[in-house]
Amino acid sequence: MTLFINAKLIDPKNQSSDIGWLRVENGVITARGLKDAPQCDEVVDCEGHCLAPGIIDIGVKIPEPGERHKESFASAGNAAAAGGVTTMVTRPDTLSAIDTPETLEFVTRRATSDSIVKVKHLSALTKERAGAEMVEIGFMKDAGAVAFTDCDHVVQDTKVFIRALTYAKACDALVIGHPQEPILSEGACATSSPKATLQGLPAVSPIAERMEIDRTLALIEMTKASYHFDQVTTARALPALERAKNNGNDITAGVSIHHLVLNQEDVGDYRTFFKIKPPLRSEDDRLAIIKALETGLIDIIASMHTPQDEESKRLPFEQAASGAVGLETFLPAALKLYHSGQLTLPQLFRAMSFNPARRLELAGGDLEVGSPADLVLFDPDAEFILDRFVLKSKSKNTPFDGEKMNGVVCSTWVDGQQVFSKI
Amino acid sequence: MEFKQKHLLGIEPLSPSEITCILDLADKYVQLNRQANKHSNRLVSLTQINMFFENSTRTQASFEIAGKRLGADVMNMAMQASSIKKGETLIDTALTLNAMHPDLLVVRHPHSGAVDLLAQKVNCAVLNAGDGKHEHPTQALLDALTIRRSKGHIKGLNIAICGDIAHSRVARSNILLLRKMGNNIRLIGPPTLVPQGFSQYGCEIYDDMRAGLKDVDVVMMLRLQRERMDGGFIPSEREYYHRYGLNTEKLAYAKEDAIVMHPGPMNRGVEIDGTIADDINRSVIQEQVEMGVAVRMAAMDLLAQNLQKSRLQNPDSTNKKGVLV
């Protein structure tokens, strides 16, 4: 039995952040309150720091099998624990793709033996993510897949897409998609802008996102499938999303933390650590997306953790690999929005813990009695300068290197067990 | 006037006075190049390596002649047949060459920003001979010199850049340079080939060539860059020629003394009528080639001076292998 006292309890369900206490027994939250803390043998004095439900991060790339030199379940698990992420939901865009129960069983075994935080797996939607034949959605779900996605491969063949959505609906399975019109966005590494034009980079119009959302929404209306857009990053996509949500479709939307705190100007002189997918957007887009998070139109923030080795980034911008690591910088980056007054802590944790848990039907993501004690204790004000070489990820491709950030994770617990401690 | 750059990676970092500084020196080299004895010893004992990751005839020849006239040891590397094909990265190739202690590296690369990347890894002066769709600074400088010699000045002129702006690094460098010097730029072409974003950089955009050419002092034609296009940007070459090819009738909208320029290679009958290209009263295309050698001599001369200055101040930097501190 452990008692946390003097904690600023970040409660995303009730949208509160009061000082109080919380009791954990056998890995489960068994009581909480604001005053009159009970007696307990083991007491953790939180000294007024924030105690929040651990982050549930949808879309973490752990390149096992295929590219374990970039990241493994062990290294990603350590990074997650240090970043306050208690559940990693991994992507199937590995080499080869997670598209059979056998490969899913392999990664489940690897995750169970090596990761110190919880791991859930996404399955590919189509075999080899090739967009031609759907995977065994029923078997994959039985084997533990929490949702189905071809990641950044968009299913172009509408017949295949409709069938997959229809079949997934019958299996009660959630489908996740990447809203980028594939032909328009092919080869693009920047968002269309005067600056991208001057830099001579192949760029894609933000309309590519809106187009794919419109197409997908039509098919969702038709099939009634449950659907999550992994990253909605442009202002122009929002009205369509809002209409579709209001029409009672089972739709949610996410965004990556990088699109919330960086914009296309940050790329500077061809800095490849800022090359991500979709490319960084304009400042107007960034502000519109933050607003959408506040209103709840966008539900989920993810790190879109994508480890890349030095060699794949030390190339001309067009040739360099996309993606950034994010597990350890997720929380301090998100706290920028808190410190700037744009989002409250309960709002942030609604998008980082509560909504992901609800969407994937996982236990937790809140501080309710009966929920697993997946917790993060952090000091939102503590300042530090990020040195990418101290990251626990095997890959160090962060856009925040050398940046002054606020927000330090003190400790992380998974099922009541401490998996990380700053001290 | 002082020229402070360590590299010539683009027009963007240059100040108007630095541009003038290059042009003034280039004027002197034009005189030298017209003499029987074309030799100078400005770059004697220095090594110049031309690395062309993309095909080039005129630019490479121009850089080679420029270096040789100044007395440098010039070496050409045909990078397409090199270790890049064996899987070596750009940075490793750069480090390998750097270990041979070159003083001037002239680089052309098919990807935007690649020359900037390479310049970060070597301790010699780097000249961008064209990177992707980004910049081609010596072309813009030679165009500026041609205009200045023809018009007597390079300020307040109306200059039309016509054709495939989207795929052209020549257009980008020219827009930057001519705007910095205070000229009015009009971009003329089909909307599929003219990025609208350039209006933010002070350019006027026209899709009607006749309207765009009205009263201009300079007409710059660009080649259709078929090799950089990923799909159909225009319906056909004959329709393109009909709407955007420069012929006598369209040129009549420009000022009477307007000059016609083209960075080459030309496609006669696609973007320009052969008779205009050959008209010595209008076309300065051959002069552009001549100015190219002089401008490259001037740029390499100035960069070499800065390189030698920095080596005197920091003598260790040349002895270390690898990257500059």
Side-chain angles (χ1 to χ4, degrees):
Chain A
M1 196 189 302
T2 313
L3 186 70
F4 296 87
I5 59 166
N6 292 328
K8 187 172 179 181
L9 299 170
I10 309 300
D11 180 347
K13 188 175 179 192
N14 302 305
Q15 288 290 297
S16 63
S17 54
D18 302 315
I19 297 281
W21 56 269
L22 183 134
R23 193 177 67 194
V24 171
E25 285 172 90
N26 301 322
V28 176
I29 299 168
T30 53
R32 59 178 261 209
L34 300 182
K35 290 188 184 130
D36 307 321
Q39 292 298 309
C40 190
D41 307 338
E42 198 188 330
V43 175
V44 177
D45 186 347
C46 299
E47 299 172 342
H49 294 330
C50 299
L51 187 67
I55 297 168
I56 298 173
D57 192 1
I58 301 180
V60 175
K61 170 80 177 274
I62 299 179
E64 284 197 50
E67 297 172 300
R68 205 192 288 178
H69 65 284
K70 292 185 178 177
E71 192 82 286
S72 65
F73 281 102
S75 63
N78 292 336
V85 175
T86 51
T87 302
M88 301 187 286
V89 182
T90 64
R91 304 209 301 256
D93 55 344
T94 43
L95 300 172
S96 55
I98 310 302
D99 58 359
T100 61
E102 289 76 14
T103 47
L104 181 55
E105 191 215 356
F106 165 79
V107 290
T108 307
R109 201 167 45 200
R110 293 279 307 138
T112 311
S113 73
D114 282 22
S115 170
I116 58 172
V117 304
K118 292 177 181 173
V119 182
K120 297 286 175 186
H121 303 278
L122 302 172
S123 160
L125 180 65
T126 65
K127 290 172 187 164
E128 296 173 356
R129 300 194 298 130
E133 289 175 83
M134 68 178 102
V135 301
E136 295 166 314
I137 294 176
F139 281 155
M140 293 301 270
K141 196 149 188 282
D142 293 346
V146 291
F148 294 79
T149 179
D150 280 351
C151 301
D152 59 339
H153 288 190
V154 173
V155 181
Q156 293 196 49
D157 185 325
T158 310
K159 276 185 186 159
V160 174
F161 199 21
I162 290 175
R163 287 173 194 151
L165 289 171
T166 308
Y167 196 90
K169 166 78 181 159
C171 298
D172 208 11
L174 174 69
V175 178
I176 300 178
H178 185 70
Q180 281 295 307
E181 206 286 318
I183 294 170
L184 208 51
S185 55
E186 191 180 355
C189 58
T191 305
S192 301
S193 71
K195 185 182 177 220
T197 299
L198 208 56
Q199 288 193 311
L201 292 175
V204 59
S205 164
I207 206 73
E209 184 172 294
R210 155 81 196 282
M211 285 173 70
E212 185 57 28
I213 286 180
D214 276 340
R215 165 185 180 252
T216 308
L217 289 176
L219 303 183
I220 292 166
E221 274 180 28
M222 177 184 167
T223 59
K224 307 286 177 225
S226 301
Y227 203 88
H228 175 67
F229 293 105
D230 65 351
Q231 299 183 67
V232 175
T233 57
T234 60
R236 277 194 233 191
L238 296 174
L241 187 64
E242 189 168 18
R243 270 197 309 277
K245 275 191 158 186
N246 291 341
N247 286 347
N249 298 295
D250 184 12
I251 298 167
T252 49
V255 63
S256 92
I257 186 63
H258 297 113
H259 288 96
L260 290 174
V261 298
L262 302 170
N263 66 29
Q264 59 197 9
E265 302 302 322
D266 290 308
V267 175
D269 291 332
Y270 306 101
R271 294 195 288 170
T272 58
F273 279 19
F274 291 79
K275 181 178 178 183
I276 57 176
K277 224 175 183 183
L280 287 169
R281 307 301 195 182
S282 71
E283 179 64 4
D284 288 347
D285 283 327
R286 186 181 81 89
L287 295 174
I289 297 299
I290 293 172
K291 197 80 197 154
L293 263 166
E294 190 192 344
T295 62
L297 178 57
I298 290 184
D299 305 85
I300 289 169
I301 312 175
S303 74
M304 296 310 284
H305 179 84
T306 305
Q308 298 288 4
D309 54 25
E310 299 288 303
E311 295 318 316
S312 52
K313 284 286 189 185
R314 275 165 43 118
L315 290 170
F317 199 82
E318 273 181 74
Q319 292 174 310
S322 296
V325 291
L327 285 167
E328 285 168 87
T329 49
F330 192 178
L331 185 56
L335 288 171
K336 284 170 188 267
L337 303 173
Y338 161 69
H339 290 295
S340 65
Q342 287 162 302
L343 293 172
T344 64
L345 289 171
Q347 282 171 336
L348 281 173
F349 279 87
R350 180 177 67 194
M352 300 194 297
S353 305
F354 186 75
N355 286 342
R358 297 292 86 78
R359 193 52 170 146
L360 298 180
E361 297 173 357
L362 305 175
D366 54 30
L367 296 180
E368 298 303 301
V369 170
S371 286
D374 297 342
L375 301 167
V376 52
L377 179 67
F378 64 96
D379 177 353
D381 301 314
E383 188 179 293
F384 70 101
I385 291 177
L386 185 81
D387 171 3
R388 69 189 184 106
F389 292 105
V390 307
L391 293 177
K392 294 180 192 303
S393 284
K394 282 191 187 177
S395 296
K396 315 294 184 192
N397 54 309
T398 172
F400 300 117
D401 186 38
E403 192 171 311
K404 192 159 76 176
M405 303 182 97
N406 292 88
V408 169
V409 173
C410 310
S411 289
T412 307
W413 293 265
V414 171
D415 286 333
Q417 298 294 313
Q418 192 175 59
V419 291
F420 173 79
S421 171
K422 187 80 189 160
I423 310 120
Chain B
M1 199 57 256
E2 214 183 344
F3 181 81
K4 290 185 181 144
Q5 304 291 323
K6 193 175 151 199
H7 306 295
L8 182 63
L9 299 176
I11 298 297
E12 201 173 12
L14 301 183
S15 67
S17 61
E18 284 175 319
I19 292 167
T20 306
C21 181
I22 300 175
L23 299 184
D24 289 348
L25 182 57
D27 260 331
K28 294 183 186 148
Y29 281 122
V30 174
Q31 298 310 314
L32 178 73
N33 287 336
R34 287 179 179 176
Q35 292 170 15
N37 179 359
K38 302 177 180 64
H39 277 277
S40 148
N41 57 4
R42 301 291 302 191
L43 299 184
V44 165
S45 81
L46 298 184
T47 304
Q48 171 192 342
I49 300 181
N50 297 335
M51 297 170 75
F52 280 67
F53 294 89
E54 211 180 55
N55 279 330
S56 164
T57 315
R58 60 190 63 224
T59 306
Q60 187 170 340
S62 183
F63 268 110
E64 184 175 353
I65 290 173
K68 284 182 171 163
R69 288 196 179 153
L70 294 176
D73 299 318
V74 184
M75 189 190 128
N76 286 313
M77 295 196 59
M79 299 311 295
Q80 288 179 321
S82 80
S83 41
I84 293 284
K85 286 263 191 290
K86 299 173 193 163
E88 190 173 67
T89 65
L90 176 64
I91 289 175
D92 286 329
T93 306
L95 291 177
T96 304
L97 284 179
N98 194 48
M100 300 177 194
H101 297 288
D103 304 286
L104 294 155
L105 265 184
V106 179
V107 187
R108 171 170 285 189
H109 197 279
H111 290 300
S112 304
V115 182
D116 297 50
L117 177 68
L118 191 143
Q120 293 162 20
K121 307 293 173 186
V122 296
N123 47 12
C124 61
V126 176
L127 289 100
N128 182 358
D131 63 324
K133 296 184 282 180
H134 179 219
E135 281 229 42
H136 189 354
T138 56
Q139 178 71 43
L141 288 163
L142 75 88
D143 287 341
L145 184 62
T146 309
I147 295 170
R148 198 174 77 165
R149 289 172 66 97
S150 169
K151 295 286 166 193
H153 62 98
I154 182 159
K155 190 174 183 184
L157 297 170
N158 292 322
I159 299 172
I161 306 177
C162 314
D164 183 0
I165 316 282
H167 300 93
S168 174
R169 53 196 175 212
V170 175
R172 283 168 178 75
S173 288
N174 263 317
I175 290 166
L176 289 168
L177 188 152
L178 296 168
R179 286 293 301 158
K180 275 179 202 254
M181 304 308 281
N183 299 282
N184 308 312
I185 311 286
R186 301 180 188 176
L187 304 179
I188 306 174
T192 45
L193 291 175
V194 181
Q196 302 301 303
F198 278 122
S199 59
Q200 283 204 14
Y201 295 102
C203 301
E204 293 173 54
I205 295 177
Y206 290 85
D207 51 24
D208 176 349
M209 192 168 190
R210 291 176 183 84
L213 287 181
K214 189 148 174 39
D215 295 332
V216 299
D217 300 286
V218 177
V219 184
M220 278 188 186
M221 300 305 299
L222 297 172
R223 185 174 61 90
L224 274 184
Q225 305 227 13
R226 289 273 184 208
E227 72 279 10
R228 288 187 212 286
M229 293 188 186
D230 57 353
F233 285 78
I234 52 163
S236 72
E237 288 186 355
R238 63 181 189 179
E239 179 163 323
Y240 182 78
Y241 181 68
H242 178 70
R243 292 172 67 88
Y244 299 102
L246 187 66
N247 57 16
T248 320
E249 182 263 320
K250 290 189 194 108
L251 184 56
Y253 286 85
K255 280 190 187 159
E256 245 175 74
D257 62 346
I259 54 170
V260 175
M261 307 177 74
H262 196 300
M266 268 186 289
N267 294 314
R268 289 168 187 255
V270 178
E271 70 261 356
I272 189 164
D273 185 335
T275 56
I276 293 178
D278 298 332
D279 179 354
I280 51 165
N281 295 316
R282 305 308 288 269
S283 160
V284 292
I285 295 171
Q286 295 307 317
E287 197 181 345
Q288 285 175 274
V289 179
E290 184 191 356
M291 295 307 118
V293 177
V295 149
R296 288 170 181 125
M297 289 167 82
M300 289 198 288
D301 184 353
L302 291 166
L303 289 172
Q305 288 177 34
N306 287 355
L307 182 72
Q308 279 159 338
K309 255 184 252 165
S310 81
R311 282 176 180 170
L312 283 174
Q313 285 161 6
N314 191 4
D316 284 349
S317 65
T318 50
N319 299 329
K320 301 264 164 62
K321 55 181 179 180
V323 188
L324 259 188
V325 240

